[in-house]
Amino acid sequence: MAIFLTGSTGYIGAHVAANLLNEHGASLNLLVRARDAHEAEDRLWRGLQLHLDFKPFYEYLQTRIRIFRGDLTSERFGLSTDDYDRLVHTTDSVIHCAASLNRKSEKSCLNVNLRGTLEVIKLALEADHYHGLRRFSHVSTVAVAGKRQDEVVTEDKSIDWDRSDYDPYARTKKFCEHMIRQLLPTVPKTIFRPSIVLGDSRRGETTQFDMVRAFVFLAGLPVLPLRSKDRVDIVNVDFVADAIATLHVKEQTRFDTYHLSSGRDSQTYRQLTASLAAAQGRRAPIYLHFLERPFTSGVNFLSSRKNAVGHGAALMKVFMPYLTFNTVFDNTRVTQELGRKPVPFSQYSYPLLKFSRETNFTYPYQGWPARAGGSAA
């Protein structure tokens, strides 16, 4: 029996997979989109090599990982009858981590987040019917809380159906939570809502660069159109992955929903920029909040350009609402249950910034070793 994990080749999903394998001795059923077995193994190696050398990865692949080649949005994941039955009968719990984070495309969010989640729920229902499902864990987002301003939001006060959403991503993730609660009424459920997941506190290396690009864009400006005392809820991905894995394998959790966030300990922009400036031997930026509107107009104008500036501006256009709402998400539940807190972003932001600049926002992936068994991709 194994944990069925979706999204294992993605940023958070790969961290969760590595944590389950290394820290909990788990066996995993992994859904990987690929044309053949070789490509599936190679995609998984690309996803996990930030966490594992090839030798332990290959050992896990032979002993504790089953790959199911399929597509999240296809009926029964596009698997053959035999493969789907094997997945059903060998799955004892589910961690649904896969999602479209494309905040600009309603089509992508509807297709992946809603249709994909429905397929995972159908799998969970079949597994529960045959042998019982130990737990269904879903990785959601604090963005389900909708448009907020100057608030501290608790888990039970996040969902407000009369409140407007920031974008299609937030809207579809809110409906995903609703579907899970309605369609899996008797299955033990855990909903995880990460805030802004940015970097690993243990190392500067990362494979996820969109939010980092926006952060680097802001960090390079001498004047920031923000309020210096506003807080931004950034959480390290290693804390997020450890919380998901630890609480998923726990026999019984205290709650069914957790904010994986920095909460009331979230740092202000002034704290973050002062730390970065000191690390680089530079002067901290000046804050002029009244420039927010012209800055936003400039970002909107530049976002259509087909160059590095345009790309940075396009990212800022997407993330700007999340950077100006001065709202944090109470994390008392998870910190009390785990007995630890996230690492403040200021303590690891410079290594992340340095790595991203030095690699030009590209992770130096290693190919499949030529002499290894399995894929030669």
Side-chain angles (χ1 to χ4, degrees):
M1 301 299 287
I3 298 169
F4 176 46
L5 170 66
T6 68
S8 59
T9 60
Y11 184 58
I12 295 178
H15 276 80
V16 172
N19 190 291
L20 288 167
L21 290 166
N22 290 332
E23 306 299 327
H24 299 283
S27 294
L28 303 178
N29 287 337
L30 303 180
L31 184 70
V32 179
R33 190 175 66 253
R35 291 166 295 185
D36 53 46
H38 295 327
E39 183 182 355
E41 291 176 352
D42 198 54
R43 283 199 67 205
L44 188 60
W45 165 231
R46 283 174 65 88
L48 290 177
Q49 63 185 245
L50 182 65
H51 315 280
L52 297 167
D53 291 333
F54 185 79
K55 183 178 179 181
F57 163 77
Y58 194 69
E59 289 176 357
Y60 287 149
L61 192 61
Q62 302 304 308
T63 58
R64 290 205 266 129
I65 292 174
R66 295 189 197 96
I67 294 178
F68 293 82
R69 284 192 298 111
D71 189 321
L72 190 71
T73 62
S74 297
E75 185 174 358
R76 292 189 160 208
F77 310 125
L79 299 174
S80 68
T81 299
D82 287 346
D83 281 346
Y84 192 79
D85 286 347
R86 186 161 62 102
L87 178 59
V88 168
H89 290 290
T90 61
T91 291
D92 78 331
S93 64
V94 174
I95 301 178
H96 180 34
C97 198
S100 170
L101 277 71
N102 190 337
R103 290 170 168 84
K104 294 185 291 184
S105 173
E106 187 162 8
K107 178 182 177 181
S108 176
C109 288
L110 287 170
N111 197 33
V112 177
N113 297 349
L114 291 184
R115 284 184 61 208
T117 297
L118 185 58
E119 285 301 321
V120 178
I121 290 172
K122 288 162 62 179
L123 179 282
L125 285 169
E126 290 213 36
D128 190 49
H129 170 74
Y130 282 108
H131 52 74
L133 196 69
R134 189 182 60 78
R135 182 176 299 280
F136 188 105
S137 291
H138 175 64
V139 182
S140 184
T141 169
V142 295
V144 298
K147 292 188 175 181
R148 305 273 179 163
Q149 191 67 50
D150 306 324
E151 293 184 56
V152 176
V153 183
T154 61
E155 286 89 348
D156 292 339
K157 299 295 183 181
S158 292
I159 301 296
D160 179 354
W161 291 99
D162 294 324
R163 190 180 295 271
S164 297
D165 300 303
Y166 279 108
D167 48 38
Y169 169 68
R171 186 157 50 253
T172 54
K173 294 296 278 186
K174 183 167 67 176
F175 274 92
C176 287
E177 287 195 21
H178 183 63
M179 284 195 303
I180 290 164
R181 295 186 193 282
Q182 293 296 312
L183 300 178
L184 296 172
T186 62
V187 173
K189 293 171 289 295
T190 313
I191 305 294
F192 297 106
R193 296 179 185 149
S195 57
I196 298 174
V197 181
L198 191 53
D200 190 315
S201 69
R202 303 165 298 182
R203 52 179 172 254
E205 292 86 350
T206 185
T207 58
Q208 195 272 347
F209 290 103
D210 276 359
M211 191 65 195
V212 178
R213 281 182 183 271
F215 165 64
V216 171
F217 180 83
L218 278 177
L221 297 176
V223 176
L224 289 177
L226 303 167
R227 294 178 295 191
S228 63
K229 294 182 180 180
D230 277 7
R231 291 183 290 176
V232 56
D233 199 329
I234 296 173
V235 63
N236 49 305
V237 67
D238 45 309
F239 178 84
V240 170
D242 187 51
I244 293 169
T246 300
L247 294 178
H248 180 80
V249 303
K250 192 174 182 180
E251 186 172 341
Q252 187 170 357
T253 60
R254 298 180 193 172
F255 302 95
D256 66 358
T257 308
Y258 295 87
H259 284 163
L260 307 184
S261 60
S262 288
R264 297 172 193 270
D265 291 332
S266 297
Q267 295 178 293
T268 66
Y269 282 112
R270 188 172 296 283
Q271 288 174 310
L272 296 178
T273 53
S275 172
L276 267 181
Q280 299 177 88
R282 297 173 53 179
R283 179 179 296 178
I286 299 170
Y287 287 87
L288 299 176
H289 178 244
F290 64 86
L291 292 178
E292 180 183 333
R293 184 168 293 180
F295 177 81
T296 301
S297 298
V299 162
N300 292 340
F301 174 75
L302 293 171
S303 63
S304 60
R305 295 194 174 185
K306 305 297 182 181
N307 54 26
V309 172
H311 186 57
L315 289 170
M316 282 306 307
K317 182 178 179 180
V318 171
F319 291 119
M320 197 67 182
Y322 292 93
L323 300 177
T324 57
F325 66 169
N326 190 35
T327 293
V328 299
F329 298 87
D330 187 85
N331 65 0
T332 304
R333 288 181 178 181
V334 72
T335 55
Q336 287 186 350
E337 192 147 357
L338 295 180
R340 57 187 178 277
K341 294 184 176 183
V343 177
F345 185 54
S346 62
Q347 291 186 19
Y348 66 92
S349 58
Y350 180 64
L352 175 66
L353 179 74
K354 187 171 181 287
F355 172 80
S356 300
R357 284 175 171 166
E358 289 176 349
T359 60
N360 195 26
F361 302 96
T362 304
Y363 184 77
Y365 288 104
Q366 303 172 42
W368 192 279
R371 295 185 180 182
S375 172

